[in-house]
Amino acid sequence: MIDPALLVAVPLAGGALPAVASRLRPRTGWPLALGVLLVQSVLAVWVAAAALAGDPVRAQVAGIPAPFGIGLLVDALSAPFVVLIAIAALVVLAYTRRGGPRSGAFYSLYLLLIGGLTGVCITTDVFNLYVFLEISGLASYGMVAQADRGAAALAALKYLLVGTVGASLYLFGVGYAYVATGTLDMAALRVALPAASDPLALAALGLMALGLSVKVALFPLHTWKPDAYETAPPGVAALLAALASTVAAYALGRLLLAVFPGVAGAVVDAALLGLAAASIVSGSLLAYRAESVARLLAYSSLAQFGIVVVGFAVATPTAIAGSVVHLFGHAVMKGGSFLVVGVVTTTHDIRTVEEYAGLARRSPYVAAAFAALALGLIGIPPTVGFAGKFYVALGAIEAGSWTAAALVLASTLFGLVYLGRVLERMYVGEGGTHAESAGVASPGMYAAVAVAVLATLALGGVGPLVEGWLAPVLDAGIAMGVLP
């Protein structure tokens, strides 16, 4: 059996290679990053297949047992995200071959980001989750600043400051959890927290959830995201849109469902629904008012992650499966949408909704790709966007939470409005200020977009499969009385 520690060790250790080799021989960063990610992808698929086919894959780094050692776990919940990170990293890497950035330092940061995000998904220790969050966060800040304009540096600084606040809040929560229980191991915390002091346990939950909400960028903690995604290089924006907030949302769900289920109650569930409602409504309104397409997509993420939080708040097996599907699907669709934005910027030098007028007549295939991804984000069948929303709504109805079900429906209607603006301009709008050909996109850039579109359509039927994968985990939660 492959040691899951290699999933983190390979990209982290390989992260030094592009920066060092590029100083000795220029243009070696991309091939080295490709080699490292291919190895990591093979390992990810192998370990995930083993975890989904049988028992979870566990390991203790250096053989040191919990609570002092670093525990790693790939189970039915983390396995899909481990594979998502590996495959998305390869797809976006193909885009950056021509789309850039192409410096050795960039590819080193790229590998550090992938290692950190993978670590977040497989660690079983809440403090080490913080460490991996910081590794991925620092890499993200540096990658945003790679754009050749001052606005990107300012956005990266804002991202750094807000991200540091979020990480600090999370770390304070870890401290409260340790004071309350004397352990940082997730499994041990799940057992010890219900018997601990209520104020300490609730403070730990509140601070850790608040810190991760900053990383997810739920309203009103989202202020870093629009600037970072709008000013970052398109390849960076696509990678962060696909993975950064997705993994943070995964971590939030993991804590709520696997660490704090005995602490979270009706009040916490109501607070989560309120946060989700605020994110869905505000994100949709801000997206509708956005002039830049990249900014519109960034704001729409607030609404999309609000749907995920709805599923975590409802916490029925069906709703949880829906949240997992929607997290996975949103990563594919939003990452793909930013890749399309990058292609359009490269070939036509346009960025705003108004400038997209008539794009379907000039670049019909690119416009069709964006339309397919946009329909997925709205939640139109047979896309994976519909599957995720359907399961969250169905779980809410099963739990008798009509408010939660209404939020999912409202998010679809809102999405139709703000994404419909772009589609209307592309297919019906007249004029447009874009040039016939401002530049040339590479085959790798087009291939990355095609992969995202095909995945959006092909994954539309994964809901029942995810339910089957998660069944052992969810059944265990029901047996312990922590899931309805």
Side-chain angles (χ1 to χ4, degrees), residues 213-299:
S213 296
V214 173
K215 297 290 189 178
V216 177
L218 296 173
F219 183 86
L221 309 170
H222 66 283
T223 54
W224 61 268
K225 178 173 279 189
D227 291 339
Y229 286 13
E230 183 180 28
T231 59
V236 173
L239 188 67
L240 296 181
L243 299 181
S245 291
T246 298
V247 170
Y250 160 84
L252 177 62
R254 187 105 207 178
L255 291 180
L256 291 172
L257 302 172
V259 178
F260 289 99
V263 176
V267 175
V268 174
D269 291 342
L272 288 173
L273 275 180
L275 188 62
S279 294
I280 290 171
V281 174
S282 62
S284 300
L285 290 175
L286 290 167
Y288 181 76
R289 295 183 59 187
E291 295 182 1
S292 161
V293 176
R295 203 170 188 86
L296 181 152
L297 292 172
Y299 279 130

Side-chain angles (χ1 to χ4, degrees), residues 111-451:
L111 294 175
L112 290 178
L113 175 67
I114 299 308
L117 294 175
T118 304
V120 170
C121 290
I122 67 175
T123 185
T124 61
D125 181 287
V126 291
F127 177 75
N128 284 298
L129 192 150
Y130 163 78
V131 173
F132 287 124
L133 277 175
E134 283 298 271
I135 292 173
S136 58
L138 291 172
S140 300
Y141 313 146
M143 291 171 71
V144 171
Q146 293 283 316
D148 297 328
R149 45 182 171 161
L154 183 61
L157 177 61
K158 185 176 182 180
Y159 190 3
L160 167 65
L161 295 175
V162 177
T164 300
V165 170
S168 299
L169 290 171
Y170 176 85
L171 187 58
F172 287 145
V174 171
Y176 277 108
Y178 184 77
V179 170
T181 64
T183 183
L184 297 173
D185 180 73
M186 291 183 182
L189 281 170
R190 183 180 64 243
V191 175
L193 278 169
S197 166
D198 284 344
L200 285 175
L202 286 173
L205 170 59
L207 288 168
M208 293 169 78
L210 188 61
L212 289 172
S213 296
V214 173
K215 297 290 189 178
V216 177
L218 296 173
F219 183 86
L221 309 170
H222 66 283
T223 54
W224 61 268
K225 178 173 279 189
D227 291 339
Y229 286 13
E230 183 180 28
T231 59
V236 173
L239 188 67
L240 296 181
L243 299 181
S245 291
T246 298
V247 170
Y250 160 84
L252 177 62
R254 187 105 207 178
L255 291 180
L256 291 172
L257 302 172
V259 178
F260 289 99
V263 176
V267 175
V268 174
D269 291 342
L272 288 173
L273 275 180
L275 188 62
S279 294
I280 290 171
V281 174
S282 62
S284 300
L285 290 175
L286 290 167
Y288 181 76
R289 295 183 59 187
E291 295 182 1
S292 161
V293 176
R295 203 170 188 86
L296 181 152
L297 292 172
Y299 279 130
S300 79
S301 292
L302 276 68
Q304 300 292 340
F305 284 112
I307 297 167
V308 173
V309 174
V310 168
F312 292 154
V314 173
T316 63
T318 303
I320 294 169
S323 288
V324 171
V325 172
H326 197 66
L327 264 182
F328 199 99
H330 177 262
V332 173
M333 296 180 292
K334 189 58 63 68
S337 297
F338 273 100
L339 292 176
V340 174
V341 169
V343 170
V344 173
T345 302
T346 299
T347 55
H348 297 292
D349 193 25
I350 61 174
R351 293 170 177 82
T352 67
V353 174
E354 287 302 316
E355 289 173 338
Y356 272 50
L359 180 63
R361 291 188 292 276
R362 299 172 184 262
S363 298
Y365 295 113
V366 173
F370 186 89
L373 295 166
L375 292 175
L377 290 169
I378 293 168
I380 305 298
T383 65
V384 67
F386 169 78
K389 290 185 176 183
F390 174 79
Y391 273 85
V392 173
L394 181 60
I397 293 171
E398 290 174 350
S401 180
W402 295 101
T403 300
L407 285 174
V408 177
L409 176 61
S411 73
T412 299
L413 297 177
F414 291 151
L416 186 60
V417 173
Y418 63 76
L419 285 167
R421 285 179 60 215
V422 186
L423 298 178
E424 184 273 336
R425 296 306 295 159
M426 287 196 310
Y427 283 94
V428 182
E430 297 292 338
T433 61
H434 47 286
E436 283 290 342
S437 181
V440 178
S442 70
M445 296 168 71
Y446 286 118
V449 170
V451 169

Side-chain angles (χ1 to χ4, degrees), residues 63-94:
I64 303 173
F68 303 105
I70 301 174
L72 302 174
L73 170 68
V74 180
D75 61 4
L77 186 57
S78 60
F81 293 96
V82 168
V83 175
L84 170 67
I85 293 169
I87 300 303
L90 279 174
V91 172
V92 177
L93 187 72

